[in-house]
């Protein structure tokens, strides 16, 4: 630790969800998709030409940008691709913030934002949501800031916020508004296309949208993220990125998944159906559940402590997420599994909730 700088010494590392060794465990703690990726992706994996692996990948991801542009109706020079959305979030700190700047983060939220602020020596303030975990947009202006990180639907609550509210706020905000849409494909019946902030990009130059293939596309393992923003913002990300930030296999599999976009939409609808089933069952067992637009539910029980339920489920080989954090320590975040996994979870909860 002799060579650690001050940022590293003061850093609170991001804590990912538990990754079990036992493959028989039902894993509902990291918001992964319970369904496999597109059959095109699996076929492509079997057909990968090994010779290409000895060559550098396309540093500008031209084929990916072309397909993303066609699907989302965004000009290619307003699209950026990254090694997971986490790389893009890290680049945002390095590209658009100075050490004297200040960041606002609604609470609760994705804790990586805090970790990145600390690692880059950027000061930040959490703005608290209300007792029902609603975030009032007016509250985001309480403290002067240069950047706001806003996840929609929110993590870990799953709350979805209207695009009109986001637009009205950004119109009067002088800083950069980072809209993290990791879970947007689960927000409605049309894979989130009509619920996304994409339509606002032509009207706002202070909006940067970040997305991922780790959730709805069932490809958390390939680490692919993408962003939409003004030409200036995208150019800034290009200048700071690593030369070959996206490997050949990731680009190839992401392309195949985009070609089969309808498959993603179908599996997202399955997750939404399973989410509705689980929400109804939880409420019948005495749980309080926040309406969710994501692939998880944020819930607490009126009589049983969240940590106790978490431990009891773990004993039954079912992992959910427990947060030992202020205001969150009596809630569980439950990722939406397959039909079989949801049914098993409900059965085990019925044994716990006597």
């Amino acid at each position: 630790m002799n060579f650690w700088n001050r940022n590293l010494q003061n850093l609170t590392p991001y804590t990912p969800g538990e990754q079990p060794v036992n493959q028989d465990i039902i894993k509902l703690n990291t918001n992964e998709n319970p369904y496999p990726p597109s059959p095109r992706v699996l076929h492509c994996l079997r057909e990968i030409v090994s010779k290409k692996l000895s060559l550098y990948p396309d540093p500008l991801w031209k084929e990916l940008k072309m397909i993303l542009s066609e699907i989302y109706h965004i000009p290619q020079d307003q699209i950026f691709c990254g090694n997971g959305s986490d790389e893009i979030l890290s680049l945002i700190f390095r590209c658009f913030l100075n050490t004297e700047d200040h960041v606002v983060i609604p609470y609760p939220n994705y804790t990586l934002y805090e970790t990145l602020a600390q690692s880059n020596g950027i000061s930040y303030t959490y703005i608290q949501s209300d007792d029902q975990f609603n975030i009032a947009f007016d509250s985001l202006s309480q403290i002067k800031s240069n950047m706001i990180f806003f996840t929609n639907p929110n993590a870990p609550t799953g709350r979805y916020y209207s695009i009109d509210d986001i637009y009205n706020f950004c119109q009067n905000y002088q800083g950069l508004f980072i809209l993290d849409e990791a879970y947007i494909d689960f927000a409605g019946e049309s894979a989130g296309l009509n619920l996304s902030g994409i339509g606002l990009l032509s009207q706002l130059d202070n909006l940067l949208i970040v997305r991922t293939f780790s959730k709805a596309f069932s490809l958390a393992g390939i680490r692919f993220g993408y962003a939409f923003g003004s030409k200036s913002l995208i150019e800034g990300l290009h200048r700071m990125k690593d030369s070959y930030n996206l490997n050949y296999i990731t680009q190839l599999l992401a392309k195949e998944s985009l070609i089969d976009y309808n498959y993603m939409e179908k599996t997202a609808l399955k997750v939404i159906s399973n989410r509705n089933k689980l929400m109804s069952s939880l409420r019948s067992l005495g749980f309080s559940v926040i309406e969710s637009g994501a692939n998880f539910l944020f819930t607490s029980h009126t009589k049983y402590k969240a940590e106790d339920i978490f431990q009891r489920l773990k004993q039954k080989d079912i992992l959910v997420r427990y947060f030992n954090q202020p205001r969150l320590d009596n809630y569980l975040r439950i990722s939406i599994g397959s039909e079989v996994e949801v049914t098993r979870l409900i059965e085990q909860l019925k044994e716990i909730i006597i």
Side-chain angles (χ1 to χ4, degrees):
M1 294 190 293
N2 291 341
F3 298 102
W4 289 18
N5 65 20
R6 285 190 298 274
N7 293 338
L8 182 57
Q9 291 173 17
N10 297 324
L11 179 66
T12 303
Y14 172 72
T15 305
E18 182 178 350
Q19 302 293 331
V21 176
N22 183 356
Q23 297 301 311
D24 294 328
I25 287 179
I26 295 179
K27 191 171 180 293
L28 305 177
N29 63 331
T30 50
N31 300 342
E32 294 145 325
N33 198 314
Y35 301 105
S38 162
R40 289 186 65 99
V41 172
L42 302 179
H43 175 76
C44 184
L45 269 174
R46 291 189 289 267
E47 301 296 323
I48 284 178
V49 179
S50 61
K51 182 178 179 180
K52 289 288 186 72
L53 296 179
S54 65
L55 306 177
Y56 284 111
D58 179 1
L60 300 177
W61 349 281
K62 291 184 288 292
E63 291 188 14
L64 271 174
K65 283 197 298 183
M66 181 178 67
I67 300 173
L68 286 166
S69 176
E70 291 174 356
I71 291 175
Y72 295 107
H73 306 293
I74 298 289
Q76 293 186 38
D77 56 7
Q78 291 185 248
I79 299 172
F80 183 86
C81 298
N83 181 17
S85 60
D86 288 356
E87 184 207 12
I88 300 174
L89 293 171
S90 180
L91 283 170
I92 287 169
F93 274 89
R94 293 162 56 196
C95 289
F96 307 124
L97 290 168
N98 298 302
T99 54
E100 67 271 18
D101 289 340
H102 193 76
V103 166
V104 157
I105 307 170
Y107 186 87
N109 222 319
Y110 184 28
T111 56
L112 182 66
Y113 306 144
E114 176 185 2
T115 301
L116 290 173
Q118 292 177 352
S119 63
N120 286 277
I122 303 296
S123 63
Y124 61 95
T125 299
Y126 275 121
I127 300 296
Q128 294 293 327
S129 55
D130 65 19
D131 291 342
Q132 301 301 313
F133 295 108
N134 280 304
I135 298 165
F137 280 87
D138 290 346
S139 69
L140 300 178
S141 300
Q142 290 176 359
I143 295 175
K144 185 178 180 181
S145 65
N146 305 90
M147 185 178 292
I148 293 173
F149 285 87
F150 195 93
T151 307
N152 193 37
N154 177 266
T157 69
R159 286 198 183 281
Y160 172 80
Y161 294 84
S162 79
I163 296 305
D164 288 341
D165 288 340
I166 292 171
Y167 173 71
N168 292 333
F169 179 84
C170 287
Q171 269 194 314
N172 300 304
Y173 181 57
Q174 299 303 308
L176 184 57
F177 193 91
I178 309 302
L179 183 58
D180 190 337
E181 291 190 338
Y183 302 100
I184 194 67
D185 295 309
F186 303 107
E189 301 301 310
S190 59
L193 283 176
N194 299 324
L195 301 172
S196 167
I198 291 174
L200 304 180
L201 290 172
S202 61
Q203 307 167 67
L204 299 168
D205 60 5
N206 64 336
L207 176 66
L208 184 60
I209 297 174
V210 181
R211 287 171 157 234
T212 179
F213 267 38
S214 295
K215 311 303 178 183
F217 286 91
S218 304
L219 287 171
I222 71 169
R223 310 309 301 134
F224 177 65
Y226 55 117
F228 302 134
S230 69
K231 294 179 183 179
S232 174
L233 292 173
I234 298 304
E235 181 184 352
L237 293 172
H238 270 282
R239 286 192 176 199
M240 189 68 76
K241 80 174 185 71
D242 291 339
S243 301
Y244 303 98
N245 67 323
L246 208 56
N247 71 70
Y248 164 70
I249 294 176
T250 290
Q251 292 191 46
L252 189 62
L253 299 185
K255 182 185 73 171
E256 292 299 322
S257 188
L258 283 169
I259 291 172
D260 200 6
Y261 191 84
N262 288 338
Y263 177 86
M264 181 277 288
E265 293 181 304
K266 291 176 182 177
T267 57
L269 289 176
K270 287 183 181 180
V271 171
I272 291 171
S273 176
N274 295 346
R275 182 182 72 200
N276 293 338
K277 174 184 176 181
L278 180 57
M279 183 184 298
S280 176
S281 297
L282 288 173
R283 285 174 173 167
S284 70
L285 290 172
F287 284 87
S288 173
V289 187
I290 294 177
E291 290 287 335
S292 174
N295 67 333
F296 55 82
L297 294 175
F298 197 59
T299 182
S300 65
H301 199 275
T302 54
K303 296 181 181 179
Y304 295 84
K305 292 182 179 179
E307 186 174 12
D308 293 341
I309 298 173
F310 164 76
Q311 294 294 350
R312 293 282 299 278
L313 285 174
K314 191 172 182 178
Q315 292 170 5
K316 297 174 180 290
D317 289 336
I318 299 176
L319 289 180
V320 297
R321 193 71 187 268
Y322 171 70
F323 298 95
N324 188 17
Q325 298 174 19
R327 299 186 61 201
L328 308 183
D329 56 2
N330 200 34
Y331 286 82
L332 296 174
R333 191 195 68 193
I334 304 176
S335 303
I336 306 303
S338 66
E339 296 92 333
V340 172
E341 291 171 332
V342 168
T343 299
R344 170 82 184 281
L345 170 65
I346 293 168
E347 290 173 351
Q348 295 303 318
L349 283 172
K350 287 179 179 179
E351 294 185 8
I352 295 171
I353 308 300
I354 302 173

